[in-house]
Structure formats: structure tokens, C-alpha cells
């Protein structure tokens, strides 16, 4: 064999060996990157599952406004309860509904990136998780209203969309599901816009939202999509660095809201303050959720999703019945009004849990239908 050929074969063998080792390193790198991304998605999924029940309890408290108890309240009671309403009901708790829209937008994006192909399967799933419970609870509420002569047969169709021009269904808290179903139907359009314009389309929605255009559901849904697509990583990095100053910012916004309520500042700024409050509140809640998921003491919250939905659907009809029964039985005064304001949500949650457990134990298939779950999961 000639020396030149031997050297050439040796160089070729080294080149092949180098290419094989390079490809192996690339494959290992991609595999490690995939495992890292998968671990991040798992932690995010656990944090979302962990947040569902606390957010739903927040919705229950949100619907417990002091105006319900005006017939009990004396002037000093109104001042106490109005303070609670401005700081809690219309303040911190305003984060709950926007956060749910953000979570929904985040979860609906396909992890594989092909949302056009994934659309039929996702719509099939949302038919059982959104549409079926929407129709079931709406029908039950309509039948109850017909039986009590509070509605007529002419209200059948409007009761599922816009009852008596109120902008909500008859089962009024289900306006969230109604808007979410509409957004989900065309979600590939929002994904396409987000991919095509990066952060530009979200920036336009942000300006409209801050200008008090009624697009809360659309804005936070698209914000969740942009977060899932990774378009806001720089903003997330900045927000993480600013966490220590988030709490003072939220307190400042709440103080401004109180100042407007007590006529120390012009009422014209109130819509802008209300639009800003969810942003620091979302960051704080998300940080709290990530801390909570690392504790085994709170692991049960991650398994409470089915009860969270049941509480969402069941609490407001129960609120209405208990208000009518409780108010005439209680004397006027500070103790009565404040006790009712504080204890009524606790009673609502307790009764909802008891009914949920009965359905879970004896009528699991009915519970699955009412909560949009194919199977029941003990919590």
C-alpha cells in the first residue's frame, strides 16, 4: 500500500469519527435541552394546577360585595365594609379573572407548535370541558327560573348568551366560559398573529386595554399565548428582577384607589388604576404559587381542580338563596353586617364542598358532566 493512500484513509477515518462525535454531542445537547424544557413545563403545569382553587376562592370573595348588605348597614358599617370592598373585592381580587384568561391562553397553545393541525382535537376536548358544563348549568338555572316564574320561555335562548341585555348569561358567572369558548374557537388566529408580529400585536392590545377598551378577556388570553410562545422572555427577566418592588407598587395602586373612593383624587383615573392592578398581583401570585408547589403541605391544592370548577359553577346560585334567607333574620348593626360579610363566603365554600363530596361519592358520572371531566379525581 502506498504511504499517501494510508495517510488519506487515516484522515478520512478521523473526519468520520469527528462527525460522529459531533452529531452525538449535538444529540445529547438537544436531549438535555428537551429535558430541561420539559422540566420547566412540568413545574409551570404544577403551579397552574396549584393556583386554581385559591383563584376560585378569590372569585367567591369577589362576588361578596358590601352593597349586598346595605339594608343591614348603618353609616359606620358602610365605611368599614366599603374599605374592605375597595381594597379586596375591587382591589386585589380583581386579579382572579384576568389570571384565569391568561392561564387559558397559555395552556391552549400546542407544545408541538402546529396549532392548525391540533385545532380539531383541542376543540373536541373543549366541547366536553367547556360547552357541556356551560349547557348543563345554564339549563338547570333556566329551569329553576321558570319554576319560580322569574323567566319565561322567550328567555330560553337569551339566557345562554345575553340575558335581558345584561351582557351575561342567566347563570351570570358563566360569561367567562362564554368568552373563553369564543376565543378558543379562533385561537390559531391569535397564535398566527403572535408569531407573525412577535410582541407588536400584544402591544396594540395593551394600549387598547389601558385605554379602557373592553377587551380584558382578549388581552389576557393573548398575553398567555405570547408567554407560551416565549416572546416575552426579556420582559419576564426584568419582572423577576423587580419582584422586591412589586408589593409596594400594588399597595400604592390600592392607596390610589382608596383616595379616589374618598374623593381625594379625580374619579377619571380610576379605570386606569383598575387596569394596572392585575399586573403586580399576577406576578406576586405566580411567585407564591412556585413557592407553594415546592412544599408537600400544599400538594393537595394541585389535585383540587375539579372542586374548583364545581365551586365556580355552584357558588352564585347558593349566594342568592342564602342572602334572601339571612338578611331578614339578622338585626341591623356593625356585628351583624360584618359577620355576614365575613362568614357567608365560608358557608358557601363549606356547602359547596359537602355537595361536591356527595356527588363524587354517589353520582360520579353526573359530577363529571357538570365539571367537564371524563373521570373524577379524588381531592
Amino acid at each position: 500500500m502506498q504511504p499517501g493512500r494510508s495517510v488519506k484513509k487515516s484522515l478520512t477515518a478521523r473526519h468520520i469519527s469527528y462527525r460522529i462525535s459531533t452529531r452525538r454531542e449535538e444529540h445529547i445537547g438537544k436531549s438535555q435541552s428537551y429535558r430541561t424544557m420539559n422540566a420547566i413545563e412540568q413545574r409551570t403545569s404544577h403551579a397552574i394546577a396549584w393556583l386554581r382553587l385559591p383563584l376560585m376562592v378569590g372569585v367567591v370573595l369577589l362576588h361578596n360585595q358590601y352593597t349586598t348588605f346595605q339594608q343591614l348597614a348603618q353609616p359606620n358599617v358602610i365605611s368599614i365594609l366599603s374599605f374592605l370592598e375597595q381594597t379586596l373585592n375591587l382591589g386585589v381580587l380583581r386579579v382572579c379573572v384576568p389570571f384565569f384568561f391568561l392561564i387559558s391562553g397559555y395552556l391552549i397553545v400546542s407544545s408541538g407548535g402546529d396549532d392548525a393541525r391540533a385545532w380539531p382535537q383541542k376543540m373536541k376536548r373543549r366541547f366536553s370541558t367547556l360547552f357541556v358544563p356551560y349547557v348543563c348549568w345554564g339549563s338547570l338555572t333556566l329551569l329553576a327560573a321558570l319554576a319560580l316564574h322569574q323567566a319565561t320561555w322567550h328567555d330560553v335562548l337569551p339566557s345562554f348568551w345575553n340575558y335581558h341585555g345584561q351582557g351575561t348569561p342567566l347563570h351570570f358567572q358563566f360569561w367567562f366560559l362564554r368568552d373563553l369558548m369564543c376565543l378558543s374557537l379562533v385561537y390559531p388566529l391569535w397564535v398566527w398573529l403572535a408569531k407573525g408580529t412577535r410582541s407588536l400585536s400584544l402591544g396594540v392590545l395593551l394600549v387598547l386595554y389601558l385605554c379602557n377598551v373592553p377587551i380584558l378577556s382578549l388581552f389576557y388570553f393573548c398575553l398567555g399565548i405570547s408567554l407560551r410562545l416565549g416572546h416575552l422572555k426579556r420582559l419576564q427577566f426584568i419582572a423577576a428582577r423587580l419582584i422586591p418592588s412589586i408589593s409596594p407598587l400594588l399597595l400604592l395602586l390600592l392607596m390610589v384607589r382608596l383616595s379616589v373612593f374618598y374623593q381625594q383624587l379625580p374619579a377619571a383615573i380610576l379605570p386606569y388604576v383598575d387596569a394596572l392592578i392585575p399586573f403586580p398581583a399576577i406576578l406576586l401570585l405566580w411567585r407564591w404559587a412556585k413557592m407553594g408547589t415546592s412544599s408537600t403541605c400544599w400538594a393537595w391544592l394541585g389535585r383540587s381542580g375539579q372542586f374548583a370548577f364545581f365551586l365556580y359553577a355552584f357558588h352564585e346560585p347558593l349566594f342568592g338563596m342564602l342572602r334572601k334567607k339571612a338578611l331578614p333574620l339578622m338585626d341591623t348593626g356593625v356585628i351583624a353586617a360584618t359577620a355576614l360579610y365575613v362568614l357567608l363566603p365560608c358557608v358557601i365554600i363549606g356547602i359547596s364542598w359537602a355537595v361536591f363530596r356527595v356527588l363524587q361519592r354517589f353520582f360520579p358520572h353526573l359530577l363529571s358532566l357538570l365539571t367537564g371531566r371524563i373521570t373524577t379525581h379524588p381531592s
Side-chain angles (χ1 to χ4, degrees), residues 133 136-137 140 309-310 313 359 365-373:
C136 289
W137 285 101
L140 290 173
F309 188 94
F310 183 82
L359 290 174
H365 296 294
L366 176 61
L367 181 63
S368 296
L369 198 67
L370 293 174
T371 56
R373 298 291 182 92

Side-chain angles (χ1 to χ4, degrees), residues 99-114:
F99 210 157
F100 272 122
F101 276 116
L102 188 151
I103 289 171
S104 301
Y106 183 90
L107 293 178
I108 201 170
V109 178
S110 175
S111 58
D114 194 349

Side-chain angles (χ1 to χ4, degrees), residues 123-133 369 372-374:
M123 290 305 100
K124 181 180 178 181
R125 174 167 173 76
R126 273 150 186 77
F127 178 83
S128 60
T129 58
L130 297 179
F131 183 76
V132 172
L369 198 67
R373 298 291 182 92
I374 303 303

Side-chain angles (χ1 to χ4, degrees), residues 59-72:
V59 170
V60 175
L61 298 174
L62 178 66
H63 292 159
N64 187 46
Q65 296 182 15
Y66 91 98
T67 48
T68 305
F69 313 108
Q70 278 187 344
Q71 57 187 317
L72 286 179

Side-chain angles (χ1 to χ4, degrees), residues 51-350:
L51 271 173
R52 280 176 177 148
L53 184 58
L55 285 174
M56 201 55 68
V57 171
V59 170
V60 175
L61 298 174
L62 178 66
H63 292 159
N64 187 46
Q65 296 182 15
Y66 91 98
T67 48
T68 305
F69 313 108
Q70 278 187 344
Q71 57 187 317
L72 286 179
Q74 297 170 345
N76 59 335
V77 184
I78 290 179
S79 64
I80 294 170
L81 297 183
S82 61
F83 174 81
L84 291 174
E85 181 186 49
Q86 295 300 315
T87 55
L88 293 177
N89 300 86
L90 300 177
V92 176
L93 296 176
R94 296 182 70 90
V95 69
C96 297
V97 174
F99 210 157
F100 272 122
F101 276 116
L102 188 151
I103 289 171
S104 301
Y106 183 90
L107 293 178
I108 201 170
V109 178
S110 175
S111 58
D114 194 349
D115 291 280
R117 290 187 178 182
W119 184 85
Q121 188 63 29
K122 286 183 179 289
M123 290 305 100
K124 181 180 178 181
R125 174 167 173 76
R126 273 150 186 77
F127 178 83
S128 60
T129 58
L130 297 179
F131 183 76
V132 172
Y134 185 85
V135 172
C136 289
W137 285 101
S139 300
L140 290 173
T141 305
L142 177 61
L143 290 173
L146 290 171
L148 296 172
H149 304 290
Q150 296 178 356
T152 67
W153 290 106
H154 297 289
D155 298 322
V156 171
L157 292 180
S159 69
F160 287 93
W161 187 260
N162 184 10
Y163 184 66
H164 287 179
Q166 298 173 358
T168 64
L170 179 59
H171 199 73
F172 95 94
Q173 70 266 36
F174 270 27
W175 70 267
F176 172 84
L177 289 189
R178 180 198 63 191
D179 288 8
L180 183 57
M181 286 189 291
C182 293
L183 290 169
S184 299
L185 279 173
V186 291
Y187 90 91
L189 173 62
W190 311 127
V191 174
W192 176 76
L193 281 173
K195 289 180 177 178
T197 63
R198 301 293 290 182
S199 302
L200 179 61
S201 58
L202 186 65
V204 172
L205 290 176
L206 174 62
V207 171
L208 294 174
Y209 168 70
L210 293 177
C211 291
N212 206 28
V213 177
I215 57 167
L216 180 144
S217 55
L218 174 61
F219 169 69
Y220 282 99
F221 187 80
C222 291
L223 178 60
I225 289 175
S226 295
L227 286 170
R228 181 63 181 268
L229 294 175
H231 293 169
L232 303 175
K233 288 183 178 179
R234 186 175 298 178
L235 186 61
Q236 290 174 266
F237 175 78
I238 295 172
R241 291 295 182 92
L242 294 177
I243 282 293
S245 60
I246 293 299
S247 297
L249 175 60
L250 180 59
L251 289 174
L252 175 63
L253 291 171
L254 294 176
M255 289 174 62
V256 171
R257 197 177 210 294
L258 279 172
S259 299
V260 172
F261 180 74
Y262 291 117
Q263 300 180 352
Q264 301 298 315
L265 290 173
I269 68 171
L270 188 59
Y272 305 102
V273 174
D274 289 343
L276 288 171
I277 284 176
F279 293 109
I282 284 173
L283 291 173
L284 289 174
L285 268 176
W286 186 248
R287 183 176 177 83
W288 177 56
K290 290 199 293 185
M291 292 171 59
T293 51
S294 61
S295 172
T296 55
C297 297
W298 299 99
W300 60 272
L301 281 174
R303 303 187 298 272
S304 60
Q306 192 176 27
F307 173 64
F309 188 94
F310 183 82
L311 178 63
Y312 162 66
F314 188 68
H315 79 274
E316 186 51 40
L318 195 57
F319 252 137
M321 290 187 290
L322 289 181
R323 285 188 194 114
K324 290 180 180 179
K325 295 291 183 183
L327 290 175
L329 297 176
M330 298 190 70
D331 298 325
T332 59
V334 177
I335 297 177
T338 307
L340 187 59
Y341 181 83
V342 173
L343 293 178
L344 190 57
C346 300
V347 174
I348 295 292
I349 295 170

